[in-house]
Amino acid sequence: MKEIDLPRIQRSFFSKHWSWQIGESDPCEKTAGAELARRLPHIEPESWGLRFALGGAYVAGRPAAYETPVEPPCRIEYYEPLFDPSHADTFYPQFDPGMVIVEDGDIGVAYKPPGLPSTPARDQQRFHMQGFLEAHFQAPIHLPSRLDTGVAGLLIFSRSMRGNRWCQKAQERRLVEKTYLCEVSGSLESDCIDVARRLCRDERHPVLRRTVDVGGEEALTKLCVLGRRQGQSRSLVQARPITGRTHQIRVHCAAEGVPIVGDPLYGGADGPELRLVSYAISFFHPFQQRQLRIEVPDALRAPWLKEVEQELGPVVLRKL
């Protein structure tokens, strides 16, 4: 089993997780805020208001406010941001209406910037794509699938009950074709391959996945080299996940010896960002009765992808 770079993985997180089990006879304060302030004296007391507003504190597994009672026996947890919580507005990407690519009242497609969770996260619940869309439309939004926080690109969403039902069915029946682009170190031995490697949780760290020969979940990814960068030993790869497992493309690329650039979890070359983007979505619109195919607009393409296109030319997807 390949060794993992645990320090590098820890540096890639946005927060540090603290957790304590409080027994009935253990001393503790009456409220979550007072108890966390007692247990984490390195944190400035006056910052707890901002920290609780951001989210990330839990008592007995439920989100907690500063005044939430602590009633042993129970577990208290806190996800301490690795950035100044007063700068959260600039740490996380901001929403722009131009990120909504198409939308008709039932189904839409939006662009999620890298570094933004798709939905409320355990370590903070203020900044996420679902919340941004709900604020934009002033209505509930349903996301049938998510993108990893570090992954940029297109997400399908729904706004109506019939849209919700169709999106859920489409997710279960794989009716939406998703195409990703990534820059990897090295190159595949063949221009196009099918990677059928089963995936399971990696016991060495709770966020990691790994390939297994037996057990786990079936996972299939189609990979195709679109171009090779001269002098950099890197390739632009098109990836189509047939199944939708956690970290599937990232693990499959690493398993084939071509880890994605900027991926700290699976041995990717160092970089300021994860060079993986949900680039295109295609599906048959059930209410408009027509085929839709959406790509990331030029204005929203990541700088790394523009850099690659300057060398290799405009992206031309292949049918996988």
Side-chain angles (χ1 to χ4, degrees):
M1 186 180 296
K2 183 179 178 181
E3 291 187 6
I4 64 171
D5 188 345
L6 188 57
R8 185 185 180 203
I9 291 174
Q10 297 290 359
R11 289 195 300 270
S12 72
F13 295 154
F14 293 168
S15 63
K16 180 178 181 180
H17 182 222
W18 301 90
S19 178
W20 302 272
Q21 182 65 40
I22 303 175
E24 291 184 354
S25 60
D26 294 335
C28 72
E29 301 292 338
K30 294 182 178 181
T31 65
E35 180 64 11
L36 287 174
R38 180 180 76 87
R39 289 182 177 271
L40 299 172
H42 66 281
I43 292 178
E44 297 179 358
E46 59 271 19
S47 72
W48 280 110
L50 279 174
R51 293 173 183 274
F52 273 93
L54 185 62
Y58 299 84
V59 173
R62 297 179 179 179
Y66 189 94
E67 297 298 331
T68 296
V70 178
E71 299 175 349
C74 67
R75 178 171 294 278
I76 186 168
E77 299 172 85
Y78 180 58
Y79 291 81
E80 179 186 354
L82 301 183
F83 57 90
D84 186 340
S86 67
H87 298 161
D89 288 340
T90 56
F91 180 83
Y92 288 99
Q94 298 299 301
F95 178 77
D96 184 281
M99 293 175 181
V100 179
I101 312 302
V102 297
E103 184 277 322
D104 61 11
D106 288 307
I107 299 170
V109 175
Y111 173 86
K112 184 191 82 68
L116 181 70
S118 297
T119 56
R122 287 285 292 177
D123 59 357
Q124 63 85 21
Q125 299 170 30
R126 277 185 55 197
F127 300 91
H128 50 90
M129 195 65 190
Q130 182 179 13
F132 284 168
L133 289 172
E134 290 180 339
H136 175 69
F137 290 112
Q138 292 294 293
I141 293 295
H142 174 62
L143 295 179
S145 62
R146 299 176 295 176
L147 294 176
D148 293 343
T149 296
V151 178
L154 302 180
L155 270 175
I156 192 169
F157 65 90
S158 58
R159 296 184 57 199
S160 67
M161 288 300 296
R162 67 174 186 171
N164 293 352
R165 287 192 295 268
W166 180 83
C167 280
Q168 197 60 45
K169 181 179 72 173
Q171 176 71 13
E172 294 169 357
R173 299 183 183 179
R174 303 174 187 173
L175 301 180
V176 178
E177 181 176 308
K178 304 173 185 178
T179 301
Y180 291 73
L181 294 178
C182 56
E183 186 178 33
V184 304
S185 296
S187 182
L188 298 170
E189 292 185 3
S190 302
D191 281 349
C192 294
I193 63 171
D194 289 354
V195 184
R197 294 176 181 261
R198 304 182 72 86
L199 300 180
C200 72
R201 291 182 180 273
D202 192 324
E203 63 277 4
R204 296 173 295 176
H205 197 281
V207 306
L208 297 180
R209 300 296 187 269
R210 64 184 179 90
T211 61
V212 289
D213 295 327
V214 179
E217 295 180 308
E218 175 190 11
L220 173 61
T221 308
K222 294 178 176 289
L223 300 177
C224 190
V225 177
L226 298 184
R228 295 173 173 84
R229 303 188 68 182
Q230 299 299 319
Q232 295 201 38
S233 298
R234 292 182 179 181
S235 305
L236 180 65
V237 170
Q238 175 183 336
R240 184 187 168 202
I242 305 304
T243 52
R245 310 304 181 195
T246 300
H247 294 179
Q248 178 175 316
I249 296 173
R250 300 165 71 171
V251 177
H252 277 175
C253 283
E256 293 299 316
V258 288
I260 297 173
V261 174
D263 188 350
L265 303 186
Y266 301 105
D270 287 334
E273 75 278 293
L274 175 65
R275 296 196 168 190
L276 173 64
V277 58
S278 172
Y279 182 78
I281 286 181
S282 178
F283 61 95
F284 185 80
H285 197 299
F287 313 126
Q288 297 181 5
Q289 288 293 295
R290 66 188 181 102
Q291 187 73 23
L292 291 184
R293 186 176 182 279
I294 300 100
E295 294 185 0
V296 174
D298 289 345
L300 295 174
R301 296 193 185 196
W304 73 262
L305 183 55
K306 292 181 179 180
E307 173 192 313
V308 172
E309 287 186 300
Q310 286 180 351
E311 180 177 335
L312 301 180
V315 170
V316 178
L317 297 181
R318 299 180 64 167
K319 182 64 177 178
L320 300 184

